[in-house]
Amino acid sequence: MQNKKILVTPLNWGLGHATRCIPVIEALEYHGFEPVIASDGVALELLKKEFPDKKILELPSYKIEYAKNGSLFKLKMFFQIPNMIKAVRNENKTVKKWIKEYGISGIISDNRMGVYSRKVPSAFMTHQLNVLTGNTTWFTTQIHRIFINKHKQCWVPDVATSPNLTGKLGHPENCSLKVKYIGPLSRLNKKCIPKKHDLMVILSGPEPQRTMLEERLKEELKSYQGETLFVRGVIDGEQTSVTENNITYYNFMGREELEQAFNESELILCRSGYTTIMDLAKLGKKAFFIPTPGQYEQEYLAQKLKKSGLVPYASQDEFTIKDLEQVEEYKGLKNIDTEEVTWKDLFSLFEGE
């Protein structure tokens, strides 16, 4: 009997959506399904490297561009809405064609709005049941929920109880969605190994903000004396590395190298993206956050974790290397005690409930 094919489609918004889909893809295969992977841009390139033997397809790109000025983030996004609507429609047409062409039996969409179908059961994976956008939060949340409701289930990679990682993002006061809390997802595992790096910098996220932060950190690190590993988060055809004084730069790292690097590093300097937070919690790491300017979700998560006494943060414009001294006053992230994800229960969606 042929294994059922499940289409897994992470949003190309940095690397976080793609990396948190990795344990989902592996669990599907372990439980006898055949994952078919689809995305675009750097997310697609990363998954090609992680799963060279899998069927990998390309979806239409949303072509989202960030503003250089964080205060113009919302305005920049507003003017891109027509292109995004067009991309979502093309995405949906493509998925309908693939269901017939490849015999798709189910769908897992990680925040891709156009990936759904009435013909096969589907789950929408997101940590944002509330979409924070300042004074337009109610509106953006309602739009998001319209798309979530096109699916049979909504999977939230967090725990249902408190303490949790997402706060009000994943725990709305009033919600009629068919939500299943599946526990935090991470492709990394904790190892008890000697420390090699005083600091690990890991970047991701849409341009031009990724490059802007890279340039700022390179300047700030000139006065830092500790051994530093700097992962730029640029997915090229080949991995490259260069060492300058006490800093070793990599354009990207594969999962095994990244897991080793995290475990060998005393402190992590990074964005406050949710997937990164899940990784840091799994590994029990101390960190310092620099939220992407204008991205309300990252700013909220950074504020939440600082208020909890876990991780300090600074804005991109105000960060200096001396800010890292604050980390000593914070507890760092810890793994949340939760039952293991019952993949068999989740995947029953594709077997007929």
Side-chain angles (χ1 to χ4, degrees):
M1 181 178 173
Q2 191 175 17
N3 292 345
K4 288 188 174 182
K5 295 179 180 177
I6 308 300
L7 183 65
V8 184
T9 63
L11 180 66
N12 176 35
W13 188 287
L15 299 175
H17 294 278
T19 57
R20 74 185 187 189
C21 279
I22 290 172
V24 178
I25 293 165
E26 291 176 335
L28 281 167
E29 189 169 37
Y30 179 81
H31 286 273
F33 296 93
E34 182 181 339
V36 177
I37 304 166
S39 189
D40 67 284
V42 292
L44 183 69
E45 294 307 310
L46 182 141
L47 292 169
K48 282 180 179 178
K49 294 179 186 298
E50 288 288 339
F51 300 103
D53 59 333
K54 297 287 182 292
K55 183 72 176 178
I56 297 185
L57 306 169
E58 185 167 5
L59 281 163
S61 174
Y62 289 15
K63 296 180 180 178
I64 299 169
E65 295 180 5
Y66 260 43
K68 289 186 176 181
N69 185 333
S71 64
L72 299 176
F73 171 81
K74 197 190 301 186
L75 184 64
K76 179 88 170 180
M77 294 298 290
F78 176 78
F79 284 114
Q80 294 178 82
I81 288 175
N83 288 336
M84 291 170 65
I85 291 172
K86 183 179 178 181
V88 167
R89 287 174 176 168
N90 289 337
E91 187 174 60
N92 191 246
K93 288 178 184 177
T94 302
V95 168
K96 286 178 179 177
K97 183 182 72 173
W98 286 349
I99 288 171
K100 292 181 180 179
E101 186 176 348
Y102 298 108
I104 302 297
S105 298
I107 292 170
I108 301 172
S109 171
D110 187 335
N111 276 267
R112 292 201 81 114
M113 303 302 178
V115 180
Y116 61 87
S117 172
R118 295 177 182 176
K119 294 189 176 181
V120 298
S122 61
F124 191 87
M125 190 161 75
T126 183
H127 62 279
Q128 291 178 285
L129 301 181
N130 282 319
V131 182
L132 305 185
T133 55
N135 57 10
T136 55
T137 291
W138 183 89
F139 176 74
T140 50
T141 296
Q142 296 310 309
I143 295 297
H144 198 225
R145 291 183 186 181
I146 287 171
F147 285 99
I148 295 174
N149 271 320
K150 295 180 183 294
H151 300 261
K152 281 198 169 184
Q153 293 178 6
C154 177
W155 296 353
V156 177
D158 196 4
V159 295
T161 55
S162 185
N164 55 66
L165 295 177
T166 57
K168 66 182 181 182
L169 290 174
H171 300 80
E173 292 182 5
N174 298 302
C175 184
S176 59
L177 298 170
K178 298 173 184 176
V179 175
K180 287 197 172 186
Y181 291 92
I182 66 175
L185 296 174
S186 176
R187 59 184 169 152
L188 307 177
N189 292 297
K190 187 172 184 177
K191 295 180 178 179
C192 294
I193 54 177
K195 294 295 180 284
K196 187 176 178 182
H197 315 291
D198 298 296
L199 176 67
M200 176 181 177
V201 178
I202 181 162
L203 301 184
S204 180
E207 297 290 2
Q209 291 296 340
R210 190 213 61 81
T211 296
M212 291 170 69
L213 180 58
E214 178 182 342
E215 291 172 352
R216 180 167 182 81
L217 292 181
K218 283 181 175 178
E219 190 64 31
E220 286 294 325
L221 284 167
K222 288 179 180 178
S223 61
Y224 185 71
Q225 301 301 313
E227 288 298 317
T228 303
L229 178 66
F230 197 123
V231 184
R232 299 173 55 235
V234 177
I235 308 298
D236 295 320
E238 293 184 4
Q239 185 188 66
T240 59
S241 67
V242 59
T243 300
E244 298 176 2
N245 299 318
N246 59 319
I247 306 174
T248 301
Y249 294 94
Y250 281 82
N251 53 346
F252 70 90
M253 281 186 166
R255 181 182 6 174
E256 291 183 4
E257 289 177 303
L258 207 56
E259 183 177 87
Q260 185 80 3
F262 266 110
N263 279 286
E264 288 179 338
S265 300
E266 193 70 40
L267 170 64
I268 313 299
L269 176 59
C270 55
R271 296 292 195 195
S272 50
Y274 184 59
T275 298
T276 302
I277 289 171
M278 288 192 290
D279 286 338
L280 294 171
K282 178 80 174 289
L283 300 174
K285 303 301 294 185
K286 285 204 165 192
F288 192 98
F289 289 143
I290 303 176
T292 302
Q295 192 165 332
Y296 290 87
E297 169 210 350
Q298 288 197 12
E299 291 170 352
Y300 164 74
L301 288 169
Q303 290 164 7
K304 174 185 182 296
L305 294 173
K306 181 175 182 177
K307 188 176 180 180
S308 300
L310 300 177
V311 181
Y313 78 95
S315 70
Q316 187 164 301
D317 290 339
E318 296 178 352
F319 173 78
T320 68
I321 203 67
K322 283 186 66 65
D323 288 338
L324 297 183
E325 296 173 5
Q326 299 175 34
V327 174
E328 292 297 320
E329 302 169 16
Y330 290 78
K331 299 174 186 175
L333 284 157
K334 302 294 180 185
N335 199 10
I336 294 179
D337 291 328
T338 178
E339 294 180 6
E340 288 293 318
V341 175
T342 311
W343 293 114
K344 188 174 181 180
D345 174 54
L346 289 176
F347 297 157
S348 68
L349 172 67
F350 309 122
E351 298 285 11
E353 296 169 291

